[in-house]
Amino acid sequence: MSKALTTVIAAIDIGSSAIRMDVAEVRSDGQVLPLESLKKGVQLGKDAFTDGVLSEESIRAACGVLQDFKRVMDTYGVLRYRAVATSAVRESTNRETFLDRVLMSTGLDVQILDSPEENRLTYSAVLETLKDGPELQEGSSLLVEVGGGNADITLIEGNEPLQSGTYPLGAIRLRAGIASTATHEQQMRVVKRRIANILANVRRSIALKDAVNFIALGGDVRFAALAAGGGRGNLSPTVLAREEFEEFVESVFRSRIETLVRKYALSYLDAETLVPALMTYLLLLRETKARSVIVSGASIRAGILAELTPEKERGRLKKLASQILSAARSLGRKYQYDEGHAERVKDLSDLLFGELSGEQRMSDAHRLYLQVAALLHDIGLFLNTRAHHKHSHYLIVHSDLFGLRQRELDIIGNIARYHRRALPQRSHPTFMVLERDERVLVSKLAAILRVANALDKGQLQKVADISVSRDGDHIVLTASNVSDLSMERAALAGRSEFFSEVFGKRIILREAEATS
């Protein structure tokens, strides 16, 4: 019997307190089998969150660790990898220098993750571990990961994310700047006060009180699961009763660092971050209705490894698009949008996109940008009815929209901004900051959105009643079950010029011929 073909892959996560790598084997059937997991402490966050710059000492230490990891990769014969850096590198002013030094010394090309993508990768990994894990109570779940720099928090309903955000609740950041001469009790009071202050912002963005399940991940909470409840210490979820978790965290909170080092055989650095991390989990838990803590062993690296398996790519992208649209609808509801209008404009936009995408070389990702922009094009009305298209742009680009990078939000915000009034111009800074190909894409998708928005008038309420065809250089929209299209034609006349300019085609709206 011949041996199944395999590919060896690797995921590297350069975090605020440590650098980690997982190596795995992908079998021909798509199954991912772990081979090795490595971790080495490097306190990049201490520099980043105190001085805003990575020190030469920290850069050298990180490069040394990554050189060791690269040798392990070569030993296994890794063919595909992805190396990412999170908040510590992202927030440092010399991040480009760091990336260049890593590339020169190791050959590894490191990408800096935006917060929404970090959320997405972790979320997909957690869902995988919960498939056959503890049964969740019906209702919303709060997913929390407290790292060294930030806490990623996502409210989910079923398998769909509703609200998400990244907040400065990381364990290293919470301790940064606290005087070392202060007593343990004084230091802990400062930490607790900092967490409470930031929680006020979290409550405004995420409906914490709606959550009936609390899902936690991260090294510190996995330690708590092992120490307090005898957790398994692997990817399988562990369930701790709420009272059991509270009691353990309170005992840790009262303990001095030296006591934790001796009692649990921790390094001093691990013990130092344990207290603020666990207190953050506990205070978030108390905001919810959850009766237990589900501790997942999933990590951002598991999400990366899953995305390095091409066999599952198409299904994964389809699921991601659904999750992003779900998050966009949740954002729309937050700003009290007209859901019926938004959905009709999205469907009309999709209809036109389908007719044009082939010849215009527009991809499924571009379709998703258009759909999100269509759903959110009017949310600026929440702020002001005047110039609401500009307010929509502002709200979109400053949102933490699940699964979308900041650059993608910039594109989507511009598409929504041009759904009415002025066209894209060189005098618009937020448009000109885009690359040339991105500006072209915005013009194409905004032109479609303007037409779709104009069509949602009067009697034309159902996309199912519209068919698309070609007549030379004309795109013909034929509407059935409609007796009078005068309102739609008038709106279209004022909104379709940009479409004609961009695509070189005119839009014609016709009634379907009556059948005898």
Side-chain angles (χ1 to χ4, degrees):
M1 184 174 177
S2 61
K3 185 180 178 181
L5 295 175
T6 61
T7 301
V8 182
I9 59 178
I12 298 173
D13 169 22
I14 302 173
S16 300
S17 60
I19 300 175
R20 299 171 174 85
M21 180 175 75
D22 288 353
V23 181
E25 181 182 76
V26 183
R27 301 181 65 96
S28 56
D29 59 1
Q31 186 180 7
V32 179
L33 302 176
L35 295 176
E36 188 159 356
S37 184
L38 300 174
K39 172 189 172 183
K40 184 70 175 178
V42 179
Q43 293 280 309
L44 295 174
K46 279 202 169 180
D47 297 336
F49 307 138
T50 302
D51 304 321
V53 62
L54 299 173
S55 68
E56 176 60 29
E57 181 183 2
S58 294
I59 293 175
R60 275 203 305 268
C63 288
V65 171
L66 290 168
Q67 286 170 348
D68 292 341
F69 284 6
K70 181 62 166 60
R71 283 191 282 271
V72 173
M73 291 168 63
D74 293 340
T75 300
Y76 277 107
V78 170
L79 294 180
R80 302 180 69 196
Y81 78 92
R82 188 180 183 193
V84 302
T86 53
S87 58
V89 177
R90 185 170 63 231
E91 296 179 26
S92 298
T93 56
N94 61 339
R95 55 187 171 274
E96 296 301 330
T97 299
F98 174 80
L99 298 181
D100 290 344
R101 289 275 296 275
V102 171
L103 181 62
M104 287 188 293
S105 63
T106 68
L108 294 171
D109 184 12
V110 177
Q111 302 169 320
I112 296 178
L113 284 187
D114 285 343
S115 298
E117 187 178 12
E118 193 177 341
N119 257 337
R120 175 183 65 79
L121 288 167
T122 304
Y123 172 76
S124 62
V126 170
L127 286 190
E128 190 68 22
T129 66
L130 290 179
K131 280 193 312 186
D132 303 314
E135 188 173 347
L136 300 179
Q137 296 183 55
E138 187 174 343
S140 300
S141 301
L142 194 69
L143 173 61
V144 179
E145 179 177 23
V146 178
N150 295 315
D152 295 326
I153 304 172
T154 303
L155 185 70
I156 60 177
E157 183 80 42
N159 288 339
E160 300 295 335
L162 300 178
Q163 299 157 345
S164 65
T166 300
Y167 301 89
L169 284 167
I172 296 175
R173 192 193 301 273
L174 288 168
R175 290 193 70 102
I178 298 178
S180 58
T181 55
T183 66
H184 174 74
E185 290 74 18
Q186 289 171 333
Q187 291 179 9
M188 293 303 98
R189 279 200 299 271
V190 172
V191 167
K192 201 166 186 178
R193 186 164 61 248
R194 287 180 175 180
I195 297 171
N197 289 341
I198 298 169
L199 277 183
N201 294 329
V202 180
R203 289 188 206 99
R204 284 192 285 268
S205 302
I206 298 178
L208 302 174
K209 61 179 174 26
D210 292 346
V212 295
N213 301 296
F214 190 89
I215 305 165
L217 61 155
D220 293 302
V221 77
R222 285 197 297 274
F223 165 80
L226 283 167
R232 290 180 286 276
N234 54 25
L235 287 180
S236 301
T238 299
V239 180
L240 290 176
R242 179 171 177 145
E243 296 76 13
E244 184 180 16
F245 183 72
E246 286 186 331
E247 182 179 344
F248 179 77
V249 175
E250 291 289 1
S251 70
V252 168
F253 193 72
R254 291 189 298 269
S255 302
R256 297 180 180 277
I257 302 300
E258 295 78 6
T259 303
L260 296 175
V261 169
R262 290 194 303 270
K263 184 174 182 179
Y264 298 109
L266 296 171
S267 71
Y268 189 87
L269 292 177
D270 285 344
E272 196 175 39
T273 59
L274 180 67
V275 177
L278 292 184
M279 182 53 63
T280 301
Y281 285 111
L282 178 57
L283 294 183
L284 281 165
L285 172 65
R286 287 173 174 170
E287 296 283 331
T288 74
K289 302 170 186 172
R291 295 194 294 269
S292 62
V293 179
I294 300 170
V295 180
S296 169
S299 68
I300 191 173
R301 298 178 304 287
I304 292 172
L305 291 176
E307 294 202 346
L308 288 174
T309 57
E311 293 83 358
K312 301 177 182 178
E313 186 68 20
R314 182 165 295 276
R316 188 162 52 246
L317 290 176
K318 186 175 180 181
K319 180 185 292 186
L320 174 60
S322 172
Q323 292 166 348
I324 290 172
L325 291 175
S326 175
R329 291 183 177 100
S330 180
L331 185 65
R333 294 184 193 108
K334 175 181 176 180
Y335 293 117
Q336 300 174 18
Y337 76 150
D338 182 339
E339 190 161 355
H341 170 67
E343 292 291 346
R344 289 191 296 273
V345 172
K346 179 188 78 71
D347 291 343
L348 286 163
S349 297
D350 208 44
L351 189 70
L352 289 166
F353 182 94
E355 183 63 28
L356 295 162
S357 58
E359 67 186 61
Q360 295 294 326
R361 298 182 180 180
M362 294 188 291
S363 67
D364 287 343
H366 299 157
R367 183 192 292 268
L368 180 61
Y369 298 164
L370 177 59
Q371 291 173 330
V372 174
L375 287 173
L376 300 177
H377 70 280
D378 273 345
I379 61 173
L381 290 168
F382 180 83
L383 298 180
N384 202 315
T385 55
R386 295 189 62 183
H388 78 265
H389 52 297
K390 296 180 183 179
H391 299 314
S392 294
H393 171 270
Y394 177 86
L395 291 175
I396 290 169
V397 300
H398 288 92
S399 69
D400 251 340
L401 198 54
F402 178 88
L404 292 171
R405 303 179 182 93
Q406 185 57 54
R407 196 63 174 182
E408 293 174 308
L409 290 173
D410 291 340
I411 292 170
I412 292 166
N414 273 284
I415 297 166
R417 185 248 188 274
Y418 295 114
H419 81 272
R420 67 189 287 271
R421 303 295 292 273
L423 301 178
Q425 297 174 22
R426 290 190 173 275
S427 60
H428 296 166
T430 55
F431 177 68
M432 291 307 299
V433 76
L434 301 176
E435 299 292 338
R436 183 178 181 279
D437 60 331
E438 294 171 338
R439 295 198 300 270
V440 171
L441 177 64
V442 165
S443 294
K444 288 178 179 179
L445 299 183
I448 293 173
L449 180 57
R450 287 171 83 94
V451 169
N453 190 48
L455 286 173
D456 187 41
K457 304 289 183 183
Q459 300 181 65
L460 203 58
Q461 301 286 300
K462 296 180 181 177
V463 181
D465 292 337
I466 303 175
S467 61
V468 184
S469 60
R470 298 288 185 105
D471 185 359
D473 287 336
H474 297 154
I475 292 181
V476 181
L477 302 177
T478 304
S480 57
N481 303 322
V482 177
S483 58
D484 180 12
L485 291 172
S486 57
M487 187 180 296
E488 288 80 6
R489 286 198 179 100
L492 192 59
R495 298 285 183 88
S496 61
E497 288 184 7
F498 186 46
F499 183 94
S500 300
E501 179 184 327
V502 170
F503 295 108
K505 304 177 189 305
R506 286 188 58 203
I507 294 275
I508 297 176
L509 183 59
R510 295 175 178 166
E511 296 99 343
E513 295 181 4
T515 56
S516 55

